[in-house]
Amino acid sequence: MFLLHPPEVRELEVFTRMPDALRRREPSAWADANRGGQATDSFLEGPVFDKAGNLYVADIPFGRIFRIDPAGAWTLAAEYDGEPNGLKFLDAHTLLVADYKNGLMRIDVRTGTVAPHLQRRNTERFKGVNDLVLDAQGNIYFTDQGQTGLHDPTGRLYRLRPDGQLDLLLGNVPSPNGVALSPDGKLLYLAVTRGNCVWRVPLLADGSVAKVSQFFTSYGPSGPDGLAVDAKGRVLVANPGLGYVWLLNARAEPVAVLRGPAGASTTNLAFGGKDRCTLYVTDSTHGSILMAQLDTPGSLLHRGPPGA
C-alpha cells in the first residue's frame, strides 16, 4: 500500500472494564469452537447506544446482554440460551440481535424478555448470523458467517424487508462479518474477516446489488470485524488480529490508526456521547470497552420501519 501521508497513530483509552463478579470462569461450546478451547471468561461484541446514552454489549459465549451507563457501571439486561453478537435497536426498548445460535432475535431491554424475529430461511437454519444494520426504510441487512472462510467462501449477506421478504444479496463471501451503511444509504460496507478485507456493495434502486468490489485490504492473523461510518462517510474498521481501528477516507487510505493496549482484540465499535464524537470499541480479549474522542460524529443509525 502506497500512502502519500502516513496515518495519525493514537492510543485507545479504557472507558470501563467488565467487573470480575460478572466474568464466567467456565467452559463453553463457543470457546471450544472459536477460541481453541482456551479459557474465555467473556467475549464482548455488538456495541450500540440507546437514546439515554446507555451502551449495550453482547457477551457471546454466555448468552448475555449488558447495559453500561454513562459512568461505566455494568448491569445485566438479559441472559438466555443463545450466542448474541451484533445488536441494533428496533425502537426505544427493543434490541434486534444477530444470534449465531438462534438467528435474529428480539430483546425487550426493560424486562429482558427474548423472542424470535427470524430463525430460519425456508425452514433451513442459518450458518450462524453475525452482525446487522438497518436503513431508513426499515430494511435489515445481516451477515450469515458461520465457519466460512477462504476454504469455504459461502458466507451470505441478506436483506430482510419490513414486509418479511428475505433477499439473498451475496452468497460467495469468505467469512462475512460487520456491516455498515454510507450516510446516504446507497452503499453497504461488508467486513470479510478471513479474506482480510472490506467489500463495497452498491445498493441499487431495484433492490439488487452489482459491481461489488474490494474496498480495503488489511493484513495479519484475523481480518476486519465490526464497522462504523462517520458523518463524512469515512469508514472505521475494527481489526481484532492487529488490535487496531482503521479510519479510512473515501479512497480507503488510512488517515488514522487507533491502537488498543497490548494483546487487545478490537472486535466492534459504536459512536456515542452527546455529540456522537466519542468512539467506543469492544476489546474482547480483556473484557473492556475502549474509547477515543474524534473530530467527526458518527453517521446516524436507523431503527425500525418509519412510523413503527
Side-chain angles (χ1 to χ4, degrees):
M1 181 186 297
F2 172 73
L3 298 175
L4 289 173
H5 304 286
E8 176 190 6
V9 178
R10 295 177 53 191
E11 304 300 323
L12 290 161
E13 302 174 1
V14 176
F15 165 58
T16 185
R17 177 181 179 276
M18 178 185 282
D20 288 343
L22 296 176
R23 294 174 184 262
R24 292 273 180 86
R25 292 168 177 85
E26 59 192 66
S28 68
W30 183 89
D32 288 344
N34 295 282
R35 303 289 289 174
Q38 71 184 50
T40 304
D41 62 16
S42 62
F43 196 91
L44 302 181
E45 258 280 8
V48 67
F49 281 89
D50 67 12
K51 290 186 176 180
N54 298 301
L55 175 63
Y56 288 78
V57 296
D59 177 21
I60 301 176
F62 301 112
R64 298 185 293 177
I65 307 294
F66 290 102
R67 180 189 302 109
I68 305 171
D69 71 18
W74 296 59
T75 56
L76 182 65
E79 183 174 0
Y80 69 104
D81 181 15
E83 294 174 351
N85 198 321
L87 309 175
K88 291 294 184 292
F89 274 96
L90 279 175
D91 57 42
H93 305 295
T94 308
L95 270 179
L96 185 62
V97 182
D99 184 308
Y100 185 95
K101 186 175 183 178
N102 298 306
L104 297 180
M105 305 293 285
R106 297 191 308 273
I107 297 178
D108 186 327
V109 297
R110 297 168 297 184
T111 64
T113 303
V114 182
H117 190 80
L118 180 69
Q119 294 186 296
R120 299 194 294 176
R121 175 180 182 262
N122 296 333
T123 72
E124 178 187 32
R125 293 286 179 182
F126 295 107
K127 292 175 180 286
V129 300
N130 184 285
D131 206 357
L132 71 165
V133 69
L134 287 82
D135 68 13
Q137 290 72 48
N139 295 300
I140 302 164
Y141 296 87
F142 66 97
T143 52
D144 188 21
Q145 180 186 41
Q147 297 293 311
T148 62
L150 292 176
H151 68 295
D152 175 23
T154 60
R156 299 177 285 200
L157 171 68
Y158 286 106
R159 175 181 54 225
L160 178 61
R161 303 186 190 217
D163 64 3
Q165 178 177 324
L166 184 64
D167 304 316
L168 176 60
L169 300 181
L170 297 173
N172 63 328
V173 191
S175 195
N177 200 322
V179 280
L181 292 167
S182 60
D184 63 8
K186 294 182 179 180
L187 292 172
L188 182 141
Y189 294 97
L190 172 64
V192 181
T193 303
R194 305 306 163 198
N196 228 322
C197 58
V198 175
W199 288 7
R200 181 182 183 273
V201 183
L203 302 174
L204 305 183
D206 65 359
S208 65
V209 301
K211 295 186 177 179
V212 176
S213 60
Q214 188 158 308
F215 176 69
F216 172 70
T217 303
S218 184
Y219 60 90
S222 179
D225 191 332
L227 303 178
V229 174
D230 71 13
K232 292 180 179 178
R234 299 182 301 181
V235 180
L236 294 95
V237 182
N239 206 138
L242 302 174
Y244 294 170
V245 173
W246 302 101
L247 173 56
L248 308 175
N249 65 17
R251 295 157 59 104
E253 297 166 333
V255 297
V257 177
L258 308 177
R259 187 166 56 185
S265 180
T266 46
T267 50
N268 213 329
L269 59 171
F271 281 94
K274 292 182 179 179
D275 55 4
R276 300 195 326 281
C277 283
T278 306
L279 186 72
Y280 293 84
V281 182
T282 48
D283 173 2
S284 299
T285 302
H286 300 119
S288 299
I289 308 298
L290 309 176
M291 62 182 289
Q293 193 69 25
L294 301 182
D295 59 2
T296 302
S299 180
L300 281 171
L301 292 179
H302 298 288
R303 298 196 173 191

